[in-house]
Amino acid sequence: MSSTFAGVTGATPAMEAGGERSRAWPHRHLLDTDVLTWPQIELLLDTADVMGEIVARRRPRSETLRGIGVTNLFYEASTRTRVSFEVAAKHLSADVVNVGVSGSSIEKGESLLDTVRTLESLGTRVLIMRHAISGAPYLAAREFGGSVVNAGDGRHAHPTQALLDLYTLRRRVPGGSLRGRKVVILGDVLHSRVARSNLWTLTAAGAEVWLCGPATLLRGFEAWAAAGVGGDRGFTASSDIGAALRDADAVMALRLQQERMAAGLLPSLHEYSARYGLTRDRLALAAPGCLVLHPGPMNEGVEIAADVAAGPGSLVTEQVANGVAIRMAVLSLVTSVSLRPAS
Amino acid sequence: MSSTFAGVTGATPAMEAGGERSRAWPHRHLLDTDVLTWPQIELLLDTADVMGEIVARRRPRSETLRGIGVTNLFYEASTRTRVSFEVAAKHLSADVVNVGVSGSSIEKGESLLDTVRTLESLGTRVLIMRHAISGAPYLAAREFGGSVVNAGDGRHAHPTQALLDLYTLRRRVPGGSLRGRKVVILGDVLHSRVARSNLWTLTAAGAEVWLCGPATLLRGFEAWAAAGVGGDRGFTASSDIGAALRDADAVMALRLQQERMAAGLLPSLHEYSARYGLTRDRLALAAPGCLVLHPGPMNEGVEIAADVAAGPGSLVTEQVANGVAIRMAVLSLVTSVSLRPAS
Amino acid sequence: MSSTFAGVTGATPAMEAGGERSRAWPHRHLLDTDVLTWPQIELLLDTADVMGEIVARRRPRSETLRGIGVTNLFYEASTRTRVSFEVAAKHLSADVVNVGVSGSSIEKGESLLDTVRTLESLGTRVLIMRHAISGAPYLAAREFGGSVVNAGDGRHAHPTQALLDLYTLRRRVPGGSLRGRKVVILGDVLHSRVARSNLWTLTAAGAEVWLCGPATLLRGFEAWAAAGVGGDRGFTASSDIGAALRDADAVMALRLQQERMAAGLLPSLHEYSARYGLTRDRLALAAPGCLVLHPGPMNEGVEIAADVAAGPGSLVTEQVANGVAIRMAVLSLVTSVSLRPAS
């Protein structure tokens, strides 16, 4: 009774945990969370638990990806996500190479597909990719023989962020389930790949999801909310921050992406902060013990007050720490498909 | 009956292959291909075969350079060459450090020789170097106690590219020999270090070499062609693309180095492409099964048509893959000289 | 009779050397040299001796920091210091991640403390940090749960440079002690973190320290010299280069930090060089065999003549080489405190 999951990687987390799995992970790439079924999400979160145990060791090291080439291809600036993937891959004993825009052929105008083919020929088996253009990782995945993991593409998707958010929430919410819990995503929804990817995972988890922000930063989402996201899953889009926060179990404040926002969407930072900043007063509207998340980097004093970011319900630090375990789980699962022997 | 080649590196490729070699590799540095004899080139290509077997393993890793400090010092932007050397060095278990222009003392105006001396004092034993100024690696080699490998200097030389081109061609040309084969190097010859280094290796291999491009981008090469390159080796320089491509066994299209080209050498990109771009129609002039190479990154639609780059004779992907094996061979051979015990 | 020093790192240098230490290292961070007692400095220099033996091995590698996350966080350009720390950490088997300004969230305006918290959550246990603002590492150390090592902050401090300078001098000065030796720090003292950190260590070693430079680049130091640095330790600040160099046992020329110097402090580079450049003629004033140091990168022909930099008393190359051993010692000692089990 062999497991698809085991693949060829030898020491998979499932095996390390000594367990056996009938649930299979079918995805060679991780481009967004929209295609993940709830059992697949649970498999990933369970795998992250195993990975978390490896991370907690004094000398965290698994042999899962020993000798496997992993490349961080980042066309946009990043500290936390790039380092998180780098640390995760090294914990799995992968050989990691970093390619950024500065100092690379990308400066010479090399095309994305040429770069992708080149990296594959150089031995890359997992391509972790951040790109300013929505959909770029899908284009890469069509060409690439290994696994592509989307580390953020334009406004579109940031699947590992959504998965680590879900993982972090589930570990903290009483009872361990988000079913029926009210989760508010607050702020610049329009430009947020984090919001989009979270929408899929949070609704899959059965949460009651509210998207809240100025009307100009919610454009299109009201119509989407009215149409639903498929099955019995739906969400609410509203500019009424009072209604959104009332009795919320968790609030995720989004970064105000000043570098992306076209002029005219907001009157001023100050007014934005006054009307939609997550302050202690506003948080008092939420349910007692309301959890607070932020994908980082934070603009403290803009979308989130410093005392809320450092407050008792804040999970910001846990999000970052859990990100390593989630990314180890993702790397392990996608390679269980892409490195499977041809047999 | 000890081999010079074995040096002190312990597990040399020759030993890994179980063979014995009487041919010795004498070069501590690899600065250009002009000083390589044909037996030395053959030794390097044979070593690359052994390295290719290591790369093909699931967990490619040789112990040849375990604990040896290798530094990538890149004063010019690069993805494929830098990553190729990094991957090659890691396959040999070296400790690799990357130093680029951005974020380094080079921004403070540190002199090249000061940087070279510093890196040696920090434990670098192999210095892989790309520099915009022709001859810079020669200057470095005069100061550096270990091995310098030229990863491209100005318009002058790019020896590992020429060696991987030769290696790729030999594996694909019927019979495995370039003797008497017509090989065309097409495009911006004037600014191309790739063309210069290939001239030495291809003529050493006995190929009939043609350099072809607009007269303004061949300046000086006609006179050189008339004088010959030494011994019975020679080449043809011509602006007649029809004559050049006729019955060619292989064509290497060069990158049109827009960032280097001084104004006035070309009327326009469009006209260049119309007259010297490698299109499917032009390729029909060549011998059946003509092989196509490009050192990358490609300007598709300028010096090479997209359908030619992806066509049946294209070796572009193989070039990149073979580059890792060639660079492993180079690192192994030069250190067999520079790490030799003083005894 | 257990040693505080041993900590939990298992193979500490003291243990590797087979010795036993009663002297304890108490500092979790290394932010400046001012807090180091002489016995602590000696412990560090002795540890560097052990580390130097590891470096001298063909495959330098200790298991001291196996699996420990070390991050180089460099907000300012650097080659030698960043690579020196990277090499040192790798020799100790640490997992090293580099974060520079370019291509990181720092470009997005992420706050220093947010970055520090993020890196800790990602598993960083030692944070090596260079920052343009004096005091920034102290701020980081207040937040960071592991060890912070200052790799240079503004004009304030550069403790590992001062320690490697002292280490290099002690190995070269006849008798191995600086007690009563005249050591001159020459040049742009005002902007030099190297001068400030050396002041503490050199006076702790009992040297007779002179700071010498144009009056505009000594501002405030005369008053400090008059007040003394505590205990019986003092130094001389003077613009009289003849008096300073007379019978000197060692001269440390400082980099003229053109990128930092506000207009108006110097008439011209040429005049600076003519009056305070360390030339062979000037060096003739010093004691026979006077040693010459420079923290690098050098502006040859400005603050130091090329023939002096390459002259018989020059320790410039040794400084760089010793820097690796010193940094290994620092990493080993600070982690012996920060990784100590809670027990």
Side-chain angles (χ1 to χ4, degrees):
Chain A
M1 201 143 93
S2 77
S3 158
T4 308
F5 173 73
V8 296
T9 55
T12 64
M15 295 168 66
E16 289 194 358
E20 188 186 359
R21 282 175 196 283
S22 53
R23 296 173 296 174
W25 176 268
H27 303 289
R28 181 157 70 96
H29 308 295
L30 181 66
L31 303 176
D32 197 0
T33 49
D34 55 347
V35 298
L36 302 181
T37 64
W38 180 246
Q40 290 162 6
I41 291 173
E42 280 197 310
L43 169 59
L44 199 145
L45 301 184
D46 290 352
T47 307
D49 277 337
V50 181
M51 294 303 179
E53 288 164 24
I54 295 173
V55 174
R57 288 181 205 157
R58 184 172 162 71
R59 285 154 178 29
R61 192 65 84 167
S62 149
E63 293 295 309
T64 304
L65 295 187
R66 172 68 65 196
I68 301 299
V70 172
T71 297
N72 275 319
L73 178 63
F74 275 63
Y75 287 81
E76 284 192 327
S78 167
T79 300
R80 70 188 65 215
T81 305
R82 195 266 295 170
V83 174
S84 180
F85 271 111
E86 181 173 347
V87 168
K90 286 179 174 172
H91 282 347
L92 298 173
S93 302
D95 285 335
V96 186
V97 167
N98 290 302
V99 178
V101 176
S102 164
S104 78
S105 289
I106 294 161
E107 288 187 344
K108 296 190 198 169
E110 185 175 27
S111 80
L112 171 63
L113 291 186
D114 204 5
T115 301
V116 166
R117 282 184 215 115
T118 297
L119 291 173
E120 180 169 1
S121 297
L122 290 170
T124 300
R125 294 292 162 261
V126 183
L127 185 64
I128 298 160
M129 182 176 160
R130 170 164 290 192
H131 203 286
I133 299 176
S134 299
Y138 290 78
L139 192 63
R142 285 215 303 254
E143 284 291 320
F144 188 67
S147 290
V148 174
V149 177
N150 184 0
D153 63 322
R155 308 179 181 185
H156 173 251
H158 194 349
T160 56
Q161 180 69 45
L163 289 162
L164 75 88
D165 290 339
L166 177 61
Y167 184 74
T168 305
L169 276 171
R170 290 230 306 173
R171 288 166 70 100
R172 285 297 180 166
V173 88
S177 166
L178 290 179
R179 187 149 298 282
R181 297 286 183 176
K182 183 175 181 183
V183 181
V184 183
I185 302 178
L186 176 66
D188 181 5
V189 173
L190 182 64
H191 298 87
S192 175
R193 53 200 178 204
V194 174
R196 281 175 180 76
S197 286
N198 261 297
L199 200 51
W200 301 110
T201 47
L202 291 173
T203 56
E208 180 195 341
V209 180
W210 284 60
L211 304 185
C212 178
T216 49
L217 296 179
L218 275 179
R219 269 202 309 235
F221 282 84
E222 286 102 338
W224 191 9
V229 294
D232 57 345
R233 291 153 63 182
F235 66 93
T236 305
S238 167
S239 291
D240 182 345
I241 188 169
L245 290 181
R246 191 155 305 121
D247 300 323
D249 297 290
V251 187
M252 181 184 303
L254 299 175
R255 174 176 176 78
L256 194 66
Q257 310 216 359
Q258 304 171 50
E259 67 269 32
R260 289 231 186 87
M261 195 162 4
L265 291 175
L266 284 183
S268 76
L269 270 191
H270 181 75
E271 181 166 337
Y272 175 84
S273 179
R275 294 187 52 199
Y276 288 96
L278 187 60
T279 60
R280 201 190 292 210
D281 283 353
R282 290 224 169 85
L283 199 55
L285 296 170
C290 177
L291 302 169
V292 173
L293 296 93
H294 191 294
M298 294 187 284
N299 299 304
E300 291 187 7
V302 181
E303 75 266 5
I304 190 168
D307 59 354
V308 171
S314 172
L315 303 180
V316 172
T317 298
E318 287 174 45
Q319 286 174 278
V320 177
N322 289 335
V324 175
I326 282 288
R327 287 171 179 123
M328 290 171 74
V330 167
L331 293 173
S332 174
L333 290 170
V334 296
T335 52
S336 76
V337 179
S338 61
L339 298 179
R340 194 182 294 161
S343 68
Chain B
M1 202 145 88
S2 78
S3 156
T4 308
F5 174 75
V8 297
T9 55
T12 65
M15 296 169 65
E16 289 196 356
E20 190 186 357
R21 282 175 197 282
S22 53
R23 296 172 295 173
W25 176 268
H27 303 289
R28 182 157 71 96
H29 308 294
L30 180 67
L31 303 176
D32 197 0
T33 49
D34 56 346
V35 299
L36 302 181
T37 64
W38 181 246
Q40 290 162 5
I41 292 173
E42 279 197 311
L43 170 59
L44 199 145
L45 301 184
D46 291 351
T47 307
D49 277 336
V50 180
M51 294 303 179
E53 287 165 24
I54 295 173
V55 173
R57 288 181 204 158
R58 183 171 163 73
R59 285 150 177 34
R61 192 67 83 170
S62 149
E63 294 294 310
T64 303
L65 294 187
R66 170 69 65 196
I68 301 299
V70 172
T71 297
N72 275 320
L73 178 62
F74 275 63
Y75 287 82
E76 283 192 327
S78 167
T79 300
R80 67 188 66 214
T81 305
R82 195 266 295 169
V83 173
S84 181
F85 271 112
E86 181 172 348
V87 168
K90 286 179 173 172
H91 283 347
L92 298 173
S93 303
D95 286 336
V96 186
V97 167
N98 290 302
V99 178
V101 176
S102 164
S104 78
S105 288
I106 295 162
E107 287 187 346
K108 296 189 197 169
E110 186 176 26
S111 80
L112 172 63
L113 290 186
D114 204 4
T115 300
V116 167
R117 282 184 215 113
T118 297
L119 291 173
E120 180 169 0
S121 298
L122 291 170
T124 300
R125 294 291 162 262
V126 184
L127 185 63
I128 297 160
M129 183 177 160
R130 168 164 290 192
H131 203 287
I133 299 176
S134 300
Y138 289 78
L139 192 64
R142 286 216 303 254
E143 284 291 320
F144 189 68
S147 292
V148 174
V149 177
N150 184 0
D153 64 322
R155 308 179 181 184
H156 174 251
H158 194 349
T160 56
Q161 179 70 43
L163 289 162
L164 75 88
D165 290 339
L166 177 60
Y167 184 72
T168 304
L169 276 171
R170 289 231 306 172
R171 288 167 69 101
R172 284 298 181 166
V173 88
S177 166
L178 290 178
R179 187 148 299 281
R181 298 286 183 174
K182 183 175 181 183
V183 181
V184 184
I185 302 178
L186 176 67
D188 181 5
V189 172
L190 183 63
H191 298 87
S192 176
R193 53 199 179 206
V194 174
R196 281 173 180 76
S197 286
N198 262 296
L199 201 51
W200 301 110
T201 45
L202 291 172
T203 55
E208 179 195 341
V209 180
W210 283 61
L211 304 184
C212 178
T216 49
L217 297 179
L218 276 181
R219 270 200 310 234
F221 282 85
E222 284 102 337
W224 191 8
V229 293
D232 57 344
R233 290 153 64 183
F235 66 93
T236 305
S238 167
S239 291
D240 182 344
I241 187 167
L245 291 182
R246 191 153 305 119
D247 300 322
D249 295 291
V251 187
M252 182 184 302
L254 298 174
R255 176 177 175 76
L256 194 66
Q257 310 217 358
Q258 305 171 49
E259 67 270 33
R260 289 230 187 87
M261 197 165 1
L265 291 176
L266 283 184
S268 76
L269 271 191
H270 181 74
E271 182 167 337
Y272 175 83
S273 177
R275 294 189 49 199
Y276 289 96
L278 187 60
T279 60
R280 201 190 293 208
D281 283 353
R282 289 223 169 85
L283 200 55
L285 296 170
C290 178
L291 302 169
V292 173
L293 297 93
H294 190 293
M298 294 187 284
N299 298 304
E300 291 187 7
V302 181
E303 74 266 5
I304 191 167
D307 59 353
V308 171
S314 172
L315 304 180
V316 172
T317 298
E318 286 175 44
Q319 286 174 279
V320 177
N322 289 334
V324 175
I326 282 288
R327 287 172 179 122
M328 290 170 74
V330 167
L331 293 173
S332 174
L333 289 170
V334 296
T335 53
S336 76
V337 178
S338 61
L339 298 179
R340 197 182 291 161
S343 67
Chain C
M1 200 144 92
S2 76
S3 156
T4 309
F5 174 76
V8 295
T9 56
T12 66
M15 296 168 65
E16 289 194 357
E20 188 184 358
R21 283 174 196 282
S22 53
R23 296 173 295 174
W25 176 268
H27 304 288
R28 181 157 71 96
H29 307 294
L30 180 66
L31 303 176
D32 197 0
T33 50
D34 56 345
V35 298
L36 302 181
T37 65
W38 181 245
Q40 290 162 5
I41 292 173
E42 279 197 309
L43 169 58
L44 199 144
L45 301 184
D46 291 350
T47 307
D49 277 336
V50 181
M51 294 303 179
E53 289 165 24
I54 295 173
V55 173
R57 288 181 203 159
R58 185 174 163 71
R59 288 154 178 24
R61 192 65 83 177
S62 148
E63 293 294 309
T64 304
L65 294 186
R66 170 69 63 195
I68 301 301
V70 172
T71 298
N72 275 320
L73 178 63
F74 274 64
Y75 287 82
E76 283 192 327
S78 166
T79 300
R80 69 189 65 216
T81 305
R82 195 265 294 170
V83 174
S84 180
F85 272 112
E86 181 172 348
V87 168
K90 285 179 174 172
H91 283 347
L92 298 173
S93 303
D95 286 335
V96 186
V97 166
N98 289 302
V99 178
V101 176
S102 163
S104 77
S105 289
I106 294 162
E107 288 186 344
K108 296 189 198 170
E110 186 175 27
S111 80
L112 171 63
L113 291 186
D114 203 4
T115 300
V116 167
R117 283 184 215 114
T118 297
L119 291 173
E120 180 169 359
S121 298
L122 291 170
T124 300
R125 295 291 164 262
V126 183
L127 185 63
I128 298 160
M129 183 177 159
R130 169 163 290 191
H131 203 285
I133 298 176
S134 299
Y138 290 78
L139 192 64
R142 286 215 303 255
E143 284 291 321
F144 189 67
S147 291
V148 174
V149 177
N150 184 0
D153 63 322
R155 308 179 183 185
H156 173 251
H158 194 348
T160 56
Q161 179 70 43
L163 289 162
L164 75 88
D165 290 338
L166 177 60
Y167 184 73
T168 304
L169 276 172
R170 290 230 306 171
R171 288 167 69 101
R172 285 297 180 166
V173 88
S177 167
L178 290 178
R179 187 149 299 279
R181 298 287 183 174
K182 183 175 181 183
V183 181
V184 184
I185 301 179
L186 175 67
D188 181 5
V189 171
L190 183 62
H191 298 88
S192 176
R193 53 198 179 206
V194 174
R196 281 174 180 76
S197 286
N198 262 297
L199 200 51
W200 301 110
T201 46
L202 291 174
T203 55
E208 180 196 339
V209 180
W210 284 61
L211 304 183
C212 178
T216 48
L217 297 179
L218 276 180
R219 269 201 311 234
F221 282 84
E222 284 101 338
W224 191 9
V229 294
D232 58 346
R233 292 153 62 182
F235 66 94
T236 305
S238 167
S239 291
D240 182 344
I241 187 167
L245 290 182
R246 191 155 305 121
D247 299 323
D249 297 291
V251 187
M252 181 184 303
L254 299 174
R255 175 178 175 77
L256 193 67
Q257 310 216 359
Q258 304 171 51
E259 66 269 33
R260 290 232 186 86
M261 198 164 1
L265 291 176
L266 283 184
S268 75
L269 271 190
H270 181 75
E271 181 166 336
Y272 176 83
S273 178
R275 295 188 51 200
Y276 289 96
L278 187 60
T279 59
R280 202 190 291 207
D281 283 353
R282 290 223 170 84
L283 200 54
L285 296 170
C290 177
L291 302 169
V292 174
L293 297 93
H294 191 294
M298 295 187 284
N299 300 304
E300 291 187 7
V302 182
E303 74 266 5
I304 190 168
D307 59 353
V308 171
S314 172
L315 304 179
V316 172
T317 298
E318 287 175 44
Q319 286 174 278
V320 177
N322 289 334
V324 175
I326 282 287
R327 288 174 178 121
M328 291 170 73
V330 167
L331 293 173
S332 173
L333 289 170
V334 296
T335 53
S336 76
V337 178
S338 61
L339 299 179
R340 194 182 292 161
S343 67

